[in-house]
């Protein structure tokens, strides 16, 4: 038997949890190996010292105290973001994203686009929508991609700031104000 295996079996030997063959192999190893024998004697001494100790009686109301601590700690942790009860800012973020998605679908479907009042009129909004659509169709969507990227980044930052806690949001605003060139 190797020393590594012997040291794994020492506590089981002290607790009388080894089979007869394992006991014989371990005792043969202990007879030859002084280091493992010293380890075994140390464990025997620790076990006998622990056996001499008086057991400590638990307080009668220990369960009550533990349950009260669990209840108060779960109440403190419950103040974080709740998926089932979104705040007003979270609702506004969802509505904004749903609106952008819906408008994207409408722009892609010609039958829905024709029904919209701002597409067919000669006003500036209809020109913006038709120019945007033409950029998408012709493949010259560089400026539009830039605008959408900047807008998406700003929306992503806003959503992130809404979802993080007040402490992180305050630190972010403080860091941004410190880095601004205008004071």
């Amino acid at each position: 038997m190797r020393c590594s295996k012997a040291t794994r079996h020492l506590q089981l030997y002290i607790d009388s949890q080894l089979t007869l063959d394992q006991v014989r192999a371990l005792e043969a190893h202990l007879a030859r190996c002084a280091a493992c024998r010293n380890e075994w004697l140390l464990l025997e001494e620790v076990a006998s010292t622990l056996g001499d100790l008086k057991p400590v009686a638990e307080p009668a109301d220990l369960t009550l105290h533990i349950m009260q601590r669990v209840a108060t700690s779960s109440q403190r942790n419950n103040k974080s973001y709740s998926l089932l009860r979104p705040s007003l800012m979270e609702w506004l973020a969802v509505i904004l994203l749903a609106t952008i998605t819906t408008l994207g679908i409408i722009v892609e479907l010609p039958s829905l686009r024709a029904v919209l009042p701002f597409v067919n009129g000669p006003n500036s909004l209809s020109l913006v929508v038709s120019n945007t659509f033409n950029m998408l169709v012709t493949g010259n969507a560089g400026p539009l991609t830039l605008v959408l990227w900047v807008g998406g980044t700003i929306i992503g930052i806003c959503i992130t700031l809404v979802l993080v806690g007040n402490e992180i949001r305050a630190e972010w605003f403080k860091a941004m104000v410190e880095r601004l060139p205008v004071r």
Side-chain angles (χ1 to χ4, degrees):
M1 177 179 286
R2 294 180 181 250
C3 290
S4 60
K5 188 173 181 180
T7 55
R8 286 194 307 263
H9 283 100
L10 284 177
Q11 188 61 49
L12 296 172
Y13 177 72
I14 293 170
D15 294 337
S16 301
Q17 298 293 316
L18 295 177
T19 65
L20 185 57
D21 291 336
Q22 290 173 330
V23 169
R24 287 181 183 155
L26 182 61
E27 287 176 347
H29 179 79
L30 291 176
R32 291 187 312 270
C33 181
C36 291
R37 190 171 40 254
N38 289 338
E39 180 81 19
W40 170 64
L41 291 173
L42 179 67
L43 286 174
E44 280 284 339
E45 183 180 343
V46 169
S48 66
T49 304
L50 288 175
D52 294 341
L53 292 175
K54 294 178 184 176
V56 177
E58 64 187 45
D61 57 351
L62 179 66
T63 304
L64 177 66
H65 285 295
I66 291 172
M67 296 308 286
Q68 286 175 344
R69 282 189 176 178
V70 168
T72 57
S73 70
S74 67
Q75 288 173 354
R76 273 186 263 139
N77 292 340
N78 204 11
K79 293 179 183 177
S80 63
Y81 173 74
S82 173
L83 187 62
L84 301 176
R85 291 182 278 180
S87 68
L88 175 64
M89 291 300 289
E90 293 163 348
W91 277 112
L92 291 176
V94 167
I95 290 169
L96 177 69
L97 291 174
T99 303
I100 291 171
T101 304
T102 304
L103 289 175
I105 292 170
I106 289 173
V107 166
E108 290 297 318
L109 297 173
S111 60
L112 291 176
R113 218 175 327 118
V115 178
L116 294 175
F118 58 80
V119 173
N120 298 324
N123 59 17
S124 60
L125 182 60
S126 65
L127 291 174
V128 168
V129 170
S130 65
N131 286 340
T132 304
F133 181 71
N134 285 336
M135 278 193 284
L136 288 173
V137 170
T138 59
N140 184 14
L144 180 64
T145 303
L146 178 64
V147 168
L148 291 176
W149 181 79
V150 169
T153 303
I154 292 171
I155 290 172
I157 291 171
C158 292
I159 290 171
T160 303
L161 290 175
V162 165
L163 296 179
V164 299
N166 288 334
E167 183 177 324
I168 295 173
R169 190 174 22 250
E171 287 181 28
W172 185 83
F173 282 124
K174 180 181 171 188
M176 292 306 292
V177 168
E178 289 173 358
R179 288 182 175 88
L180 288 176
V182 180
R183 297 208 183 228

